[in-house]
Amino acid sequence: MSSTSTESNKRPKLDAKANVLMVGTGEYTTGYVGGTAADSDKGAGVVALTMFDLRRRGKVERVGMCGVNGKKFPGIRNHMQKNIGDVYKGMDLDCDTYPSDDTVNPKAYLDAISTFKAGDVAIIFTPDDTHYDIALACIKQGMHVMVTKPIVQTLEHHIELIKAAKEKNVLVSMEVHKRWDPFYADARDRARSQLGNFQYMYAYMSQPKHQLDTFKAWAGKSSDISYYLNSHHIDFSEWTLEGIARPIRVTGTSSTGVAHSKGMKTEDSITLTVQWENINDKSLGCAVYTSSWVAPKSDVHSQQRFFYMGSNGEINVDQAHRGMTVAVDGKPFGSVNPLFMKYTPTNGMFSGQGSYGVKSFECFVDACREVNAGTKSVESFDDGSLATACTTVQGTAILEAGRRSLDADGRPMDILYGEDGHTPTEIRPHEF
C-alpha cells in the first residue's frame, strides 16, 4: 500500500463531497448473491444503492468497490444496472472496482485503499474474520471507517482499533441500522427514562435455511450465527443500558443438526444468557439473546422481536411485523417493512431516504464530513448518536465470551473491567 503525501492528508471542507470505498461485494452491498439477486429483502442491495443516491444528492463524489474475485464484477455491474439504474432516474453508477475483472486477490483491498486519501470514507461489509485487518489498513491511511456488525470478533482487536483510530483522529463506527428504527429508538428512550433498573430481556432473531448457502464461504469456518444476528440486540442492550448496567457474565448454549446435515460444522441456533449488573446498586438483570439461521421461509425474511422489562415497566417490540402485508400474483404472501428500506420508486426516483437502512449510512457520511471540516470532533459522536468503536466494546466482549463459552462446553465466561468500570478489559472463565 502506497503512503499518502502531505497534500493528500489535508482534510476537505464541509461542503466537500465524500469519497467512499465499499469493501465487500455481497448481499448487503450489492444484493448480488450466487450470480443473481439475493433471495431476501435486499435484492437491490443497500450500501451501493445508498452511496449512488448520496452522490445524486451531492454528498458523495467518488465511489469505489472492492472484493476478492474480480471475475464477479461484470455480473455485479449488470445486476446494479438492472436493479438500480433501470429502476431509478438520475443514478450515476460509475464505480471504480478492485481487483481487475480477470483477477482473484484476497488482498485487493490494499490496492484499493492506496487510491484513497485521509478524510475519505471506508464502508466494510465482509466476512467477520476479515474486519480487523481491513479496518486497520483503512485507519492507517487516515480514512474514516464504518464496519458491519460485529465490528471485530475479539476484545483485543476492538481495543487495538480504538487506539489506532485515536492516533489518526478518524471516526470508526459499527453499522447498526436498528439505532435509526423509530420503534427501537423509542423503546431505548423509554427504557432509559421511565423503566428504572434493568431486570430482564429476551431477544430473538432468525433467517431462513437458505442463508446457510448464502454464507457457506464462512459459516462455521470463521464465524457463527451469534456474531451475525445476536449482535443486533446485544448492541441494543449496550446502547440502552449505557450508564445503567454492564454485562458481567456470559453463558452460551446451542442447537445443531440442520447445518451438520449439509456438511457445515456450525451451530443452527445459538443462545447467549448474559448477566447484567445495575451500576447504581449492584442488583442483577438477565438477558437471553437467541439467533438462528435454520428457520422456515415465512412471511418475512428475518423474524426479529424482543421483550424488555425494567423495575418500573416493560416493552414488547415485533420488528418483523409493522402492520403492512402484500400479496402479488406469482409471489408469496409477505409482511413488509418499508421503514427499513423503501425500494418502490416515487415518480421514477429512489425515495427511501427516510428509511433507517439508508439513514444509518447517511448519518455516518455526514459525521465524517463534519469531522473533516472541523465543525465537530471525533469524540463528540460518542454520545450515542453513532455506534462508535469507543461505545461498543461491551458488545464485542459479550460476543467473544459467548463463543468461548460454547467452545468450553457451556462454561460461563466472566467479563472484567478496568478502573473506569465501564470498558471491558478481559474475559476469563468463571471459577465456581
Side-chain angles (χ1 to χ4, degrees):
M1 184 172 63
S2 63
S3 60
T4 56
S5 65
T6 302
E7 181 65 27
S8 67
N9 278 301
K10 292 181 179 178
R11 295 281 174 82
K13 296 179 180 179
L14 181 60
D15 58 358
K17 301 176 183 179
N19 297 315
V20 179
L21 172 63
M22 300 176 288
V23 186
T25 63
E27 179 183 35
Y28 210 83
T29 300
T30 66
Y32 187 76
V33 176
T36 188
D39 182 17
S40 70
D41 56 350
K42 297 176 280 289
V46 178
V47 187
L49 171 58
T50 300
M51 294 307 117
F52 294 142
D53 185 60
L54 289 178
R55 175 158 59 191
R56 182 184 68 82
R57 293 192 283 134
K59 294 189 174 186
V60 166
E61 187 166 332
R62 181 189 174 201
V63 176
M65 183 185 299
C66 179
V68 171
N69 187 354
K71 298 175 183 179
K72 293 181 180 180
F73 281 123
I76 290 173
R77 294 187 194 102
N78 290 335
H79 168 81
M80 292 195 300
Q81 182 60 44
K82 178 181 178 181
N83 290 276
I84 300 176
D86 295 345
V87 175
Y88 309 109
K89 298 177 182 177
M91 289 290 201
D92 174 8
L93 305 187
D94 182 59
C95 182
D96 300 325
T97 55
Y98 306 85
S100 61
D101 289 5
D102 59 355
T103 303
V104 177
N105 179 10
K107 297 289 187 179
Y109 66 87
L110 295 174
D111 295 328
I113 291 169
S114 70
T115 70
F116 285 79
K117 61 185 183 300
D120 288 344
V121 178
I123 298 175
I124 302 170
F125 273 75
T126 60
D128 297 346
D129 64 321
T130 67
H131 292 178
Y132 173 73
D133 289 339
I134 299 173
L136 188 60
C138 293
I139 291 169
K140 289 181 177 178
Q141 187 76 348
M143 300 177 73
H144 304 293
V145 181
M146 171 176 267
V147 189
T148 185
K149 54 203 160 300
I151 187 168
V152 287
Q153 291 179 299
T154 67
L155 180 59
E156 178 185 4
H157 280 170
H158 198 134
I159 293 172
E160 288 178 4
L161 281 190
I162 291 173
K163 291 179 180 178
K166 287 182 177 179
E167 289 175 1
K168 287 290 186 176
N169 192 36
V170 296
L171 188 59
V172 177
S173 181
M174 184 168 67
E175 196 284 319
V176 197
H177 45 265
K178 288 190 181 301
R179 292 195 179 201
W180 282 266
D181 179 340
F183 285 36
Y184 276 59
D186 187 67
R188 185 249 186 183
D189 292 342
R190 288 176 187 269
R192 291 183 63 81
S193 63
Q194 301 173 12
L195 301 191
N197 276 355
F198 175 60
Q199 285 278 309
Y200 175 76
M201 179 173 177
Y202 169 72
Y204 176 75
M205 190 167 182
S206 71
Q207 291 189 354
K209 293 181 180 68
H210 68 73
Q211 290 295 83
L212 286 171
D213 297 320
T214 300
F215 302 124
K216 62 184 178 182
W218 57 263
K221 300 173 184 177
S222 60
S223 194
D224 59 37
I225 187 58
S226 182
Y227 276 112
Y228 177 53
L229 290 185
N230 274 336
S231 52
H232 292 73
H233 287 111
I234 287 172
D235 177 76
F236 175 79
S237 292
E238 181 172 15
W239 183 42
T240 299
L241 296 174
E242 191 279 324
I244 297 174
R246 64 181 188 176
I248 59 172
R249 186 168 301 143
V250 181
T251 305
T253 55
S254 67
S255 59
T256 60
V258 176
H260 288 180
S261 71
K262 294 175 173 285
M264 304 173 71
K265 295 181 179 180
T266 189
E267 299 89 354
D268 295 341
S269 305
I270 292 176
T271 295
L272 302 185
T273 302
V274 181
Q275 190 85 77
W276 289 77
E277 179 184 69
N278 288 297
I279 294 171
N280 64 348
D281 61 4
K282 305 300 181 183
S283 61
L284 300 177
C286 178
V288 180
Y289 309 96
T290 296
S291 58
S292 176
W293 48 13
V294 298
K297 197 169 179 64
S298 67
D299 61 324
V300 295
H301 176 66
S302 181
Q303 298 284 356
Q304 305 176 46
R305 54 184 178 268
F306 74 82
F307 168 81
Y308 178 100
M309 183 171 69
S311 56
N312 298 332
E314 65 185 40
I315 299 174
N316 269 294
V317 175
D318 182 355
Q319 193 269 351
H321 301 93
R322 302 302 179 97
M324 182 176 180
T325 61
V326 175
V328 180
D329 288 342
K331 294 183 179 181
F333 174 84
S335 295
V336 298
N337 179 17
L339 292 176
F340 165 59
M341 282 297 290
K342 181 185 181 300
Y343 286 109
T344 311
T346 300
N347 298 324
M349 305 296 290
F350 176 69
S351 55
Q353 294 82 10
S355 304
Y356 59 82
V358 171
K359 285 183 177 180
S360 175
F361 294 103
E362 183 169 0
C363 288
F364 182 73
V365 170
D366 286 344
C368 295
R369 295 172 71 213
E370 289 179 301
V371 171
N372 289 343
T375 59
K376 281 195 175 181
S377 67
V378 169
E379 294 76 17
S380 67
F381 293 99
D382 290 337
D383 61 354
S385 57
L386 293 177
T388 62
C390 289
T391 60
T392 53
V393 185
Q394 292 178 1
T396 296
I398 291 172
L399 289 166
E400 182 187 359
R403 182 67 257 172
R404 289 174 59 176
S405 175
L406 289 168
D407 293 340
D409 294 325
R411 183 175 181 176
M413 295 288 157
D414 292 335
I415 298 175
L416 307 181
Y417 291 83
E419 293 181 359
D420 69 357
H422 174 76
T423 304
T425 57
E426 184 183 354
I427 299 168
R428 185 182 298 171
H430 180 67
E431 297 294 338
F432 291 96

